[in-house]
Amino acid sequence: MTSLAVANPGSLIQSVDWVAIAPPLIAALAALAVLVTDLFLPARHKKWLGRLTAAGLALALISLLPLTGGSPRATFCAQNVTGATDNAGCSYVADHFALVFQLLALGGALIAALLSAHTVDDEKLPGGEYWFLLLASATGAALLPASRDLATLVIALEVASLPAFALVALRRDGRGAEAALKFFLSSVTATAVMLLGIGFVYAASGSLHLGAVATGLEQAPAQLKPLAEAGAVLTLVGFAFKVAAVPFHFWVPDTYTGAPLPVAGYLSVVGKAAGLAGLALATTIAFRPYAHTWGLALAVLAAVTMTVGNVGALRQRFDTRFSAVRLLAWSSVGQAGYLLVPLAAAGYAPTATDPLGATAAYALIYGVVNLGAFGVVAAVGRRAGTSVDDFRGLFARDRWTALALAFFLLCLAGLPPGVIGLFGKVVVFRAAVDAGLGWLAVVMAVNVVVALYYYLLWTARLFTPAEETEAAPAPERRLPVSLTATLGLTASAAVVLSVAPQLVLQVVGGSLF
């Protein structure tokens, strides 16, 4: 009989670094608190659930502050992992990369929560379920950037995704169910392909820890090389779906249109950030031996994605219902192409992590202005509609809301006075040029010019006088405090970053790992 005893049982017991895991842990505890509170709270007090959600996300953001100084903190570490150096054998690492994307995920979720307060009431959505699902998804999005093994990455990705399916389906007008079904089926297919790829990678490398996977792939026998390469490609499919990269983008316009507006904004920023973080970790750490291969693949993917997104936006008619949401959906596909450019450049850089700062900086900029644009669409939708033509003459009716949307659109286009958007595009463009991807820089420049057309056309609508033959707009309704706070917060952040872009662009200068 074989004895299962070990010489030193105490070595199997680890101490958990609670400070390191505080951001996703606080979001998870807030989700449980909302779920339990909903059971005992009278219907007339359900609004407190939204406030509890916002408070939990704010506390999770505050918990990032103790992690900003000093060296990275790690926990859940395996002993004697083959190829492990420093924190390579740890499943959770709170380094600069994780903190930047956790800031984006939790901050985006907080803005989405503020944006959701009036939507839950106006559309009669089930409050307890809505806030629980939002917090649960934010927990997965915050966990993913700190994950350092493929198993944790998949779990975090699914924790971020599964509640999002239900959030999309909460709208009970028929469109929500259809949008959620398209989102669910395409996501499940991508996840199945990714799991198959992870199985291949594990068979070839003998490990799931990202650093050990890279070492295992370098030392893999020649007969396992095709298996490892196929596994790497299939693994990246799931993350490409979350980023909404072509050809995994087809769910985006219908899902954004069918989902409640705050959920669409959440998916466009937080969902994309989660996929981008997973893609960056898998490529630059686990699949480092295949850098030139995935670098070229991501470069082609970036070029195709930004082109398809901008062409789709150009084809969008402005007079159709929900055209503003669909235009932002196609715009988010195009923006995903820009976000992939520095990742592609990382495959050609001497140190694969160098260009990641450009992706992180651009993602932060995009998150602020895109959520602000969704906030304005939600505000106008309460009074008029959500087609682009409903924004005609908005400056005459509500000048501050019109100016806010104009500023957000100019930031997305990369035009002054949206200086922060211009700086973001310059940083991404420089990453491509420094990596020797001149052809990708040219494609990006052409796409930026093409995108100017529909951004400026929408901006012009805001200042164009409404036609006399048009139906009179609905009486002005005072914006809810939460929606006003959302617009004020995002607009102020965009203005401050335009005046002092170094606040976000400083992440470009140093290593994130």
Side-chain angles (χ1 to χ4, degrees), residues 3 110 250 377 402 446 449 501:
S3 175
L110 177 59
F250 46 83
V377 172
V446 172
V449 174

Side-chain angles (χ1 to χ4, degrees), residues 85-268:
T85 57
D86 297 330
N87 296 323
C90 299
S91 293
Y92 187 101
V93 179
D95 52 17
H96 296 302
F97 176 88
L99 296 183
V100 169
F101 278 93
Q102 285 178 338
L103 172 64
L104 178 57
L106 295 171
L110 177 59
I111 295 175
L114 295 175
L115 189 57
S116 300
H118 76 282
T119 303
V120 172
D121 294 333
D122 291 351
E123 299 189 12
K124 302 297 187 293
L125 302 178
E129 292 88 336
Y130 184 94
W131 298 117
F132 168 75
L133 292 169
L134 182 64
L135 283 166
S137 180
T139 299
L143 172 62
L144 196 146
S147 303
R148 291 299 183 273
D149 68 69
L150 293 174
T152 309
L153 276 177
V154 172
I155 292 172
L157 190 65
E158 291 309 298
V159 171
S161 301
L162 291 175
F165 304 147
L167 281 172
V168 173
L170 284 181
R171 176 178 273 178
R172 307 293 175 80
D173 59 357
R175 291 184 295 110
E178 180 184 354
L181 183 61
K182 291 179 180 178
F183 186 19
F184 173 76
L185 292 177
S186 52
S187 179
V188 166
T189 303
T191 301
V193 172
M194 180 174 63
L195 289 174
L196 178 63
I198 289 175
F200 288 171
V201 170
Y202 178 72
S205 65
S207 178
L208 290 175
H209 286 86
L210 301 183
V213 167
T215 303
L217 293 180
E218 289 178 341
Q219 301 173 355
Q223 60 268 30
L224 292 181
K225 292 289 186 182
L227 183 69
E229 293 170 355
V233 171
L234 295 177
T235 301
L236 299 182
V237 167
F239 298 116
F241 171 85
K242 297 302 177 186
V243 177
V246 175
F248 313 106
H249 70 292
F250 46 83
W251 58 275
V252 174
D254 290 339
T255 299
Y256 285 17
T257 303
L261 262 177
V263 176
Y266 174 85
L267 291 175
S268 72

Side-chain angles (χ1 to χ4, degrees), residues 118 122 379 382-383 398 475-481 483-484:
H118 76 282
D122 291 351
R382 288 173 54 86
R383 299 169 175 174
D398 189 343
E476 295 293 312
R477 300 167 59 189
R478 185 178 182 85
L479 291 180
V481 175
L483 187 52
T484 303

